[in-house]
Amino acid sequence: KQVCRDDYLNLFIASLQNYDVTSSKYIVPVFGSSRMEEKVECAVFDFSSKVNQICRHLRNQMMDSSFHSRVPSTASLQDNKFLHPILSTFAKETPPKLEEALRLIQDIAISLNVSLLSEGIQSSLQYLAFLANYDLLYETAPG
């Protein structure tokens, strides 16, 4: 709710990596590293699943805020500032959850009673195609 533009969320999601950014961005100088290692005992975190965990949590929060707080209307597809970031979280996961993203788009079209060929739905599909491997998206597409 505090983010005013969905582009900021999309940029954040796109830049997520499965490694400890703090170890490369905030390097401890050599002269202070021995003292720092003695004082700081960090909990071990499995960074191989970091992106998936963050995407899952972000998606849950955005979906709760977007789709459960109001009755869907025709304008809600265009006005929903979290739709593209939600699609970004599906595409960013490893492996990408393209089937779930396509199902969400289909569910939105059904709930709004609009055609899959409508402008808003096509825009969402184009955005997902931009994020994902096009061949994989084509193979994943149902029916």
Side-chain angles (χ1 to χ4, degrees), residues 59-119:
R59 184 171 51 248
N60 290 340
Q61 290 298 315
M62 290 184 290
M63 287 183 77
D64 286 346
S65 175
S66 296
F67 299 115
H68 299 299
S69 62
R70 58 193 154 104
V71 177
S73 67
T74 308
S76 68
L77 185 61
Q78 288 81 17
D79 296 341
N80 186 350
K81 70 177 183 178
F82 291 132
L83 181 58
H84 285 168
I86 289 169
L87 295 175
S88 295
T89 63
F90 283 122
K92 184 65 179 182
E93 285 199 41
T94 305
K97 295 189 174 189
L98 299 178
E99 188 171 345
E100 292 179 30
L102 291 169
R103 191 174 303 118
L104 174 66
I105 294 170
Q106 183 180 29
D107 291 346
I108 290 171
I110 291 169
S111 70
L112 297 176
N113 198 24
V114 295
S115 167
L116 290 174
L117 299 175
S118 70
E119 183 180 338

Side-chain angles (χ1 to χ4, degrees), residues 9 11 22 30 39 51 57 65 79 89-90 108 133 141:
L9 284 170
L11 184 61
T22 62
V30 176
K39 293 180 182 179
V51 172
H57 289 294
S65 175
D79 296 341
T89 63
F90 283 122
I108 290 171
N133 178 334

